Amino acid sequence: MQESGFQHIHRAAFAVALALGARAACRRGFALNRLSPRPRENFIAEHPWYHSSTRVFAGGIFIDHAVNPLVLQPTNAPARAVVSGMLTGHVALAASFLDRVGVSLSLPISLMQIGETATFGTGSYGPASGPAIGDVRVGLRVRLFGHADRDPFSLHIGANLWIPSGSRTDNTGDENVRVEPRLTLAGRGGPIRWSFGTAFALRGNLDEQNLAIGNELRFTAAVGLALADNRLTIGPEAYIFSALRDRPGGSSAFFANEQWGGEAILGIHYLVANAVLLGAGGGVGIGQGGGVPAGRAIFSVAYAPVRAEAPTDRDRDGVPDASDVCPDEHQGVNPDPARPGCPAGDRDQDGVVDPEDQCVDVPQGEHPDPARRGCPEGDRDGDGVFDGQDQCVDVPQGPNADPARPGCPRGDRDGDGVFDDEDQCPDEAMGPRPSPTRRGCAALDQDHDGILDPPDGPDRCPTEPETFNNVDDEDGCPDGAALAVSSSTGITIVEQVNFRTDSDVIVGARSFAVLDAVASLLRATPNVTQLDVQGHTDRRGSAEHNMDLSNRRAAAVRRYLIAHGIEEGRLVSSGFGFSCPARAGRSRADRAANRRVQFVIVTPEQPAGRCTNTPQ
């Protein structure tokens, strides 16, 4: 309910009056925050962990906000929430040693307190004016038996020690040493984690109005449900305590009104990437003991890397379940070497036990293989010839079986399509120009002029290459200067092909003689399967015009060669304009050299339409 303006002024005046009265009173208080969180899957009740079952080290930060953690009621006066809100941060570390010992350290820091300062007699109480450090807590825990996160039951003893680093005036400490021996039972069954603890807190005596602070008996309990492969834990937690001192006025202490209290919260934790533990929780206070809030919210983030679990062995045969093919069946005295953790068997039920069976999943059948125990007689290549007789066990004999080698196809070592028993050159492929007189052999051409040697062809000069100049170009003999010469990359012409000015019309008897020599050379070299006829111009004129002119001239040469007996599929044409000059200069001789036709053999490395020149 919102206050009226008059109520607000009245409250402010009352607070000022209390503050003025507090100057003459002794400021008093005690350690209000009852939480000592540690990096784990619980906030209140301890669920012990050790490095063989969970983790080795963890560290985290916790933030909790308590509502009305300190309410005092003087005699014959209404109760006052002298601390109505307290925001506390905790820095916590924990580690495990020897798989039996756990240690922890935490430091609470009061970040902010709100409330009303009040004076009762000679004592003044109220919120801290700013951030304040609390009592440092050091914890030690020893595992007596079992693992809390692995076994149904485990037992642990330990103790907490609070070092007086806080201040009573800031509600962060008792200004004396506190010790708390503890006994914890914890365990796990399936996805359920549980814990129960009891502790006896040795605490100095402090009388604060209606509260008698002193030694306490404390109980904790938690139940959590572990889900999502142990990454998510959710469940309720609680603690309850009772002061063991009599109340002011002499009334009974044990679970007397205002001398006991506790908290119950619902917490949730999620482990990210097996390393970062996030937590959140909230709940309510129970009873009216000192430091018990009306409600609390808590959040945490911790680096708590999970240790890889020790390998399990359900059948206790010495083979870890991760490697055990039969994790629920002992491997026995005769283990199966092919299936770790399994006893020797006979999977194919052919009478041969698996350790001796070379074909454990295939029965040996009526025709066992004498060389492979437990296996049927094989036919790997599926050609109908059993492997014991098959001289080519991985190669089917096919439709042309070799009569001299059972199970083998007829051979063709040089891969030219002529079987070896018919091939007169079994180690030399016949190539694109087979010999018409020697089966499976390449035609002879000693001088490599493309005209075959006798008896395969008409070369009258088999050791001297023909010169292609349109003079007896078919007899295979040199007879003057060549007009066209073949190389591994193309055909070089001795004289240029000339065209009418700015036209694709071929002119000049010598131009036709050169092209006839090129045609003769192509007919003599059928191994040249594709030739790129390339046209080039000089730099005069526009690039677009020169490109068109060079394309038309190259196409004209291609048409001439086709008309003179060269197969159309062996020829392509490309125009370059002036994009691929032979000379970089601008003289008349340079321009004449750049106006040219070239013949380039097309290969995967030299595709059609690619420039092959480096300007000189």
Side-chain angles (χ1 to χ4, degrees):
M1 180 181 296
Q2 295 184 344
E3 294 181 332
S4 66
F6 177 80
Q7 289 174 320
H8 183 70
I9 295 171
H10 181 270
R11 180 180 290 274
F14 180 75
V16 171
L18 289 178
L20 291 174
R23 294 180 179 177
C26 176
R27 186 61 180 268
R28 302 174 67 174
F30 58 95
L32 276 183
N33 197 306
R34 287 185 167 273
L35 292 187
S36 294
R38 304 173 191 177
R40 60 194 177 199
E41 283 74 14
N42 289 356
F43 287 120
I44 293 177
E46 183 179 46
H47 194 269
W49 52 260
Y50 303 89
H51 68 263
S52 72
S53 60
T54 307
R55 51 179 64 94
V56 176
F57 169 81
I61 298 174
F62 300 75
I63 299 293
D64 81 270
H65 180 259
V67 178
N68 289 339
L70 182 58
V71 177
L72 296 178
Q73 183 172 9
T75 305
N76 299 323
R80 293 181 182 176
V82 295
V83 179
S84 59
M86 185 173 186
L87 182 66
T88 306
H90 307 260
V91 179
L93 303 173
S96 169
F97 303 95
L98 305 175
D99 195 34
R100 190 165 294 275
V101 179
V103 295
S104 60
L105 177 70
S106 68
L107 173 65
I109 302 174
S110 173
L111 303 175
M112 183 179 68
Q113 298 178 26
I114 59 175
E116 295 182 351
T117 301
T119 301
F120 304 106
T122 60
S124 172
Y125 304 88
S129 60
I133 294 176
D135 291 340
V136 175
R137 182 196 57 78
V138 179
L140 174 68
R141 180 185 65 246
V142 177
R143 180 175 64 87
L144 297 183
F145 69 84
H147 278 280
D149 207 50
R150 196 167 64 195
D151 301 315
F153 297 95
S154 64
L155 179 62
H156 316 261
I157 60 172
N160 292 324
L161 171 68
W162 281 267
I163 301 172
S165 53
S167 168
R168 291 185 62 182
T169 60
D170 292 325
N171 304 306
T172 58
D174 290 356
E175 298 182 351
N176 55 39
V177 173
R178 287 178 283 155
V179 179
E180 182 187 66
R182 299 181 58 83
L183 179 68
T184 302
L185 289 170
R188 178 168 180 174
I192 303 299
R193 288 185 172 113
W194 66 272
S195 70
F196 176 81
T198 182
F200 183 79
L202 299 173
R203 189 172 188 179
N205 293 338
L206 298 172
D207 293 330
E208 308 295 345
Q209 295 303 313
N210 54 309
L211 303 177
I213 308 300
N215 296 340
E216 297 175 352
L217 185 63
R218 180 181 174 97
F219 302 95
T220 61
V223 177
L225 183 63
L227 304 171
D229 197 22
N230 293 327
R231 294 191 300 275
L232 176 65
T233 301
I234 182 171
E237 306 173 49
Y239 74 85
I240 190 170
F241 74 95
S242 173
L244 301 181
R245 292 184 62 209
D246 291 343
R247 289 185 58 198
S251 61
S252 175
F254 195 66
F255 282 96
N257 188 32
E258 299 179 342
Q259 290 295 91
W260 70 276
E263 291 184 60
I265 69 170
L266 179 65
I268 182 170
H269 291 79
Y270 188 80
L271 185 63
V272 179
N274 285 334
V276 179
L277 186 63
L278 305 178
V284 297
I286 304 169
Q288 298 177 347
V292 176
R296 187 188 302 272
I298 184 168
F299 303 91
S300 68
V301 58
Y303 175 70
V306 173
R307 185 181 181 88
E309 294 186 1
T312 58
D313 181 12
R314 293 202 300 268
D315 56 12
R316 300 183 183 277
D317 60 0
V319 181
D321 291 343
S323 304
D324 199 331
V325 179
C326 305
D328 295 308
E329 182 180 4
H330 199 286
Q331 64 180 352
V333 295
N334 294 308
D336 188 338
R339 296 187 303 153
C342 295
D346 181 13
R347 293 209 297 267
D348 56 13
Q349 301 295 315
D350 61 358
V352 182
V353 295
D354 294 344
E356 301 175 4
D357 196 333
Q358 296 184 40
C359 301
V360 293
D361 294 309
V362 181
Q364 61 183 354
E366 297 180 0
H367 300 283
D369 189 335
R372 297 185 302 149
R373 181 154 169 71
C375 296
E377 194 168 7
D379 180 14
R380 289 209 302 268
D381 54 15
D383 60 1
V385 181
F386 290 120
D387 294 343
Q389 293 80 41
D390 198 331
Q391 295 187 28
C392 301
V393 293
D394 295 309
V395 181
Q397 62 181 358
N400 297 296
D402 190 335
R405 297 186 301 153
C408 295
R410 296 173 70 186
D412 180 14
R413 293 200 299 272
D414 55 14
D416 60 2
V418 181
F419 293 121
D420 293 341
D421 56 349
E422 300 177 0
D423 198 332
Q424 292 180 260
C425 303
D427 295 307
E428 180 183 356
M430 61 184 178
R433 302 189 73 182
S435 171
T437 61
R438 296 178 302 141
R439 181 142 171 77
C441 297
L444 297 176
D445 183 11
Q446 298 176 65
D447 53 15
H448 304 291
D449 59 0
I451 301 174
L452 301 182
D453 300 348
D456 297 333
D459 196 336
R460 297 173 56 190
C461 303
T463 60
E464 299 177 81
E466 172 69 74
T467 53
F468 293 92
N469 55 6
N470 297 320
V471 178
D472 294 327
D473 283 348
E474 308 298 330
D475 65 359
C477 294
D479 42 25
L483 294 178
V485 180
S486 177
S487 69
S488 61
T489 58
I491 296 175
T492 303
I493 55 177
V494 176
E495 299 180 21
Q496 265 308 344
V497 178
N498 295 316
F499 298 87
R500 186 175 295 166
T501 301
D502 201 27
S503 170
D504 59 359
V505 177
I506 303 170
V507 297
R510 294 296 290 176
S511 296
F512 293 113
V514 167
L515 293 179
D516 290 341
V518 172
S520 296
L521 198 155
L522 285 172
R523 284 192 293 273
T525 55
N527 57 307
V528 177
T529 59
Q530 194 167 56
L531 191 73
D532 187 13
V533 181
Q534 299 184 350
H536 302 267
T537 68
D538 59 26
R539 69 172 62 248
R540 292 178 300 175
S542 69
E544 181 179 0
H545 175 75
N546 285 336
M547 184 63 72
D548 175 67
L549 179 61
S550 63
N551 268 313
R552 289 189 286 111
R553 287 179 173 179
V557 172
R558 178 177 181 271
R559 288 193 299 272
Y560 182 90
L561 294 175
I562 293 172
H564 286 74
I566 305 303
E567 296 89 340
E568 183 177 354
R570 296 178 65 191
L571 299 170
V572 296
S573 64
S574 305
F576 292 84
F578 187 67
S579 65
C580 183
R583 295 188 184 181
R586 295 175 177 268
S587 68
R588 177 176 295 179
D590 293 331
R591 293 198 302 271
N594 287 330
R595 295 190 301 271
R596 68 198 188 281
V597 174
Q598 290 181 253
F599 302 90
V600 178
I601 295 174
V602 177
T603 65
E605 295 76 22
Q606 177 59 52
R610 177 183 290 179
C611 178
T612 61
N613 297 314
T614 302
Q616 299 178 354

